[in-house]
Amino acid sequence: MSMGCVSPDGRLSDRALSFLKLVKERGQILPQEAVQITGRPLFQVRSSLRELTQAGFLKQEGEGYSITEKGLKALEEASAS
């Protein structure tokens, strides 16, 4: 069962948007920090971060992740709708 962040048509789930918001607020986030903040299991956090990175909403820098222009734009569009 896929608990995807990004639907086939490119829309983001609520969970994906909350991850993007979190990364935007913190500037950069480590998977372990995301686990502590969200209370989600590490495998789920890693999978969400990986999926958002592959889709271009986040970029990985060493161990951490930061938001991209595409991610910022997705957040703006989500808050506007």
Side-chain angles (χ1 to χ4, degrees):
M1 178 176 115
S2 165
M3 300 194 303
C5 286
V6 185
S7 69
D9 65 0
R11 273 188 328 202
L12 294 172
S13 68
D14 289 344
R15 185 172 76 197
L17 290 169
S18 64
F19 262 106
L20 290 180
K21 219 171 280 178
L22 183 63
V23 177
K24 181 185 174 194
E25 284 163 10
R26 299 184 71 94
Q28 189 181 41
I29 198 161
L30 298 168
Q32 293 80 353
E33 289 176 308
V35 167
Q36 288 168 347
I37 296 164
T38 63
R40 296 185 185 285
L42 184 59
F43 79 91
Q44 210 178 75
V45 165
R46 281 192 191 283
S47 140
S48 296
L49 290 171
R50 188 169 46 244
E51 193 178 341
L52 288 166
T53 301
Q54 286 168 346
F57 296 104
L58 295 177
K59 63 177 182 269
Q60 189 171 3
E61 298 171 323
E63 293 286 301
Y65 292 82
S66 58
I67 196 163
T68 63
E69 280 300 315
K70 183 177 178 182
L72 290 170
K73 196 165 173 243
L75 276 179
E76 275 172 35
E77 287 168 6
S79 62
S81 60

